[in-house]
Amino acid sequence: MTQTLTNQFPKKDEPTLMTPDTYRATLEKLLAEGEGRGKTVNVGAYLLEDIKLVTETSSGKDETAKTVKVEKLYIVMDLDQYKSEHVRGLVVKDIAKNWGGKTIGERDLDSADFKGPGIWTIKQGSFEFDYLKADADDRTNSLHVPNPDAFRVCDTVDETVIIPVQWGTFTVEAGGTLAIREKDVAELAEALQSIRAGKATAEEALYTQDDKGNTVARFDIYGMEPGFLENNYDPVELKQETQAVTAAFKTAPAQPQGKKKGFGQSR
């Protein structure tokens, strides 16, 4: 039987989710080698609002009201993809329409309410730290500008990796970037030092449980696709206290990390 080219040249092993110890080493590298970056690009963004249902009497007066709570997330859009306020508004309306279609059974529950490039979500607190509304008095204007103080520590990855994040897992392609907000660096450094000192395992210091009991990342370290960093961030000088904290990770730890092996680690 003739052997196919596929069999002669097997595919390279696909990347798998980092083990806790590899994740720890990756975060130490992020602090040791990461560079300061500041956002440069505006975005369009809409805060998801609660749903309010009001029951009226037969005479038209409000009788009862019920507010259905929605997770406080911003829908964020790349202005290169969604250039006008009108287009961005249509996207939000389309999402709402498709969500409604699922509710009344017209659409598959597993189908996407919107699918396209340059759109993502961010928790309200994180977004409002990263961006400022361009016109605080104009509720209909979705334009937001970068907060000049919302710096990042960023490090490029040489190969494709899968990292744990606060909402599950995320694939960072080769040439992409790992990032952490500068304001979170000191807390991450403290956790990493606790592993170096043998006071905690990587699992204990770097992971937590979400409200559904899933194991997720404790810190908001996330990935950017290749080219996104260069197109959206400029180099900046990090605060002196940040530089002092990260300096400790430019040398190898004095003793083995962790106090025991845990889930996902080689035995």
Side-chain angles (χ1 to χ4, degrees):
M1 180 181 294
T2 303
Q3 191 176 33
T4 66
L5 284 176
T6 301
N7 292 332
Q8 291 179 35
F9 302 100
K11 291 183 179 179
K12 184 180 178 181
D13 290 342
E14 294 292 328
T16 58
L17 178 63
M18 284 184 175
T19 65
D21 196 55
T22 300
Y23 184 52
R24 172 206 56 77
T26 299
L27 299 188
E28 288 207 357
K29 180 177 180 295
L30 172 61
L31 295 191
E33 301 179 8
E35 299 178 342
R37 294 281 182 150
K39 281 181 174 287
T40 60
V41 178
N42 299 341
V43 296
Y46 301 85
L47 178 64
L48 293 178
E49 299 290 350
D50 296 337
I51 301 170
K52 189 171 185 179
L53 303 176
V54 178
T55 303
E56 291 185 338
T57 65
S58 57
S59 62
K61 293 183 179 180
D62 292 354
E63 184 177 44
T64 60
K66 175 66 175 178
T67 299
V68 181
K69 294 294 184 182
V70 173
E71 184 178 2
K72 292 302 182 184
L73 296 174
Y74 274 89
I75 299 174
V76 187
M77 300 181 202
D78 182 350
L79 297 187
D80 284 341
Q81 304 286 342
Y82 310 95
K83 297 182 183 298
S84 71
E85 194 70 51
H86 176 69
V87 169
R88 296 192 292 273
L90 289 178
V91 169
V92 175
K93 290 178 180 178
D94 199 38
I95 292 171
K97 181 186 72 175
N98 290 333
W99 174 85
K102 287 181 179 179
T103 303
I104 62 176
E106 291 181 346
R107 288 172 55 84
D108 180 359
L109 289 174
D110 292 328
S111 63
D113 295 319
F114 182 83
K115 188 174 183 180
I119 185 169
W120 63 97
T121 61
I122 304 179
K123 289 183 178 180
Q124 181 180 11
S126 296
F127 180 83
E128 291 179 354
F129 177 80
D130 289 345
Y131 293 94
L132 307 172
K133 209 168 190 313
D135 186 348
D137 297 325
D138 185 357
R139 188 174 180 277
T140 65
N141 186 350
S142 70
L143 186 65
H144 288 70
V145 299
N147 178 356
D149 293 327
F151 293 162
R152 304 287 198 278
V153 176
C154 300
D155 187 39
T156 299
V157 297
D158 297 326
E159 58 184 29
T160 299
V161 296
I162 303 177
I163 62 169
V165 291
Q166 292 185 323
W167 59 92
T169 64
F170 190 84
T171 300
V172 187
E173 296 179 4
T177 305
L178 286 175
I180 181 173
R181 292 174 177 84
E182 185 179 16
K183 67 182 181 65
D184 297 330
V185 166
E187 188 176 358
L188 172 61
E190 183 179 0
L192 290 171
Q193 289 289 15
S194 73
I195 302 170
R196 283 191 170 196
K199 296 178 180 179
T201 64
E203 298 95 314
E204 292 166 342
L206 302 177
Y207 295 78
T208 188
Q209 302 289 314
D210 65 14
D211 55 8
K212 295 180 181 178
N214 300 313
T215 299
V216 295
R218 181 180 300 276
F219 297 96
D220 190 12
I221 292 99
Y222 61 96
M224 306 178 197
E225 64 182 14
F228 188 86
L229 178 74
E230 294 79 6
N231 293 333
N232 293 272
Y233 291 81
D234 278 344
V236 297
E237 184 173 357
L238 298 170
K239 297 180 178 69
Q240 289 297 320
E241 52 265 37
T242 303
Q243 295 182 42
V245 166
T246 58
F249 295 93
K250 298 184 187 298
T251 57
Q255 61 184 62
Q257 294 82 9
K259 56 186 182 183
K260 60 183 178 182
K261 290 184 179 294
F263 69 90
Q265 289 181 271
S266 301
R267 295 185 183 275

